[in-house]
Amino acid sequence: MNAPSTYGLSTQARNLQWLLTDLVEEVPGVNSVAVVSSDGLLLLSSDPAAPETPAAARPKGPRGASADLATIVSGLGSLTTGAAALMDGGPVKQTMVAMEHGSVFVMSISDGSLLGVHATPDCDMSVVAYHMALFVGRAGHVLTPEVRSELRQSMENTP
């Protein structure tokens, strides 16, 4: 995993990066993770590939393109929020998409921020969901507007 440098980040931002790294490294089957703000901007990623990296040079799928995973997470979040509103279902807690070659999980964090995970097709979905819930529980109160701004800035400055 190529984590962005935590040099110069606040304690809260460093802790969030540590939690994200722990999620990727400790949960079997997790390929990549992204935290996306309510406006769809990438805040944290397990693979902060530079946006200018040519698509042909990236691994297939969102693992090599954090912006791709962030787009997917934001889109799924928006779609499910709209569906829940149409069905009077209340706030969306979690979305899971199972595909032949993998799964995508999206979970609400706070203030519209989302945690997205791209996992292998053979992952234990309940284990992934459990660890995502742990991340959300630990990160939700820390993801203040100031920390979101700091994380957004650090992602923009990642080479």
Side-chain angles (χ1 to χ4, degrees):
M1 181 175 108
N2 298 324
S5 170
T6 57
Y7 178 76
L9 293 179
S10 67
T11 301
Q12 294 89 349
R14 285 194 312 269
N15 286 342
L16 287 171
Q17 184 63 51
W18 178 85
L19 286 171
L20 182 125
T21 301
D22 190 53
L23 178 64
V24 174
E25 292 178 353
E26 299 299 322
V27 181
V30 171
N31 288 330
S32 58
V33 180
V35 174
V36 181
S37 67
S38 60
D39 53 0
L41 296 175
L42 183 63
L43 298 177
L44 280 172
S45 174
S46 61
D47 184 25
E52 62 274 359
T53 303
R58 297 183 210 145
K60 186 174 180 182
R63 182 172 175 84
S66 55
D68 291 349
L69 182 57
T71 300
I72 293 164
V73 168
S74 181
L76 284 171
S78 180
L79 178 66
T80 56
T81 298
L86 285 172
M87 293 187 261
D88 293 325
V92 177
K93 295 180 181 180
Q94 182 177 3
T95 303
M96 196 275 298
V97 178
M99 302 167 285
E100 184 176 350
H101 300 290
S103 298
V104 175
F105 301 82
V106 179
M107 190 174 284
S108 298
I109 298 176
S110 64
D111 296 337
S113 297
L114 301 167
L115 170 64
V117 172
H118 173 235
T120 61
D122 60 343
C123 74
D124 185 331
M125 293 180 191
S126 62
V127 170
V128 173
Y130 172 76
H131 283 277
M132 288 177 71
L134 287 178
F135 180 96
V136 167
R138 293 174 180 156
H141 67 284
V142 176
L143 205 53
T144 63
E146 295 80 17
V147 173
R148 283 194 299 270
S149 177
E150 179 182 1
L151 291 170
R152 187 176 300 134
Q153 186 67 34
S154 74
M155 288 303 292
E156 290 171 2
N157 295 333
T158 300

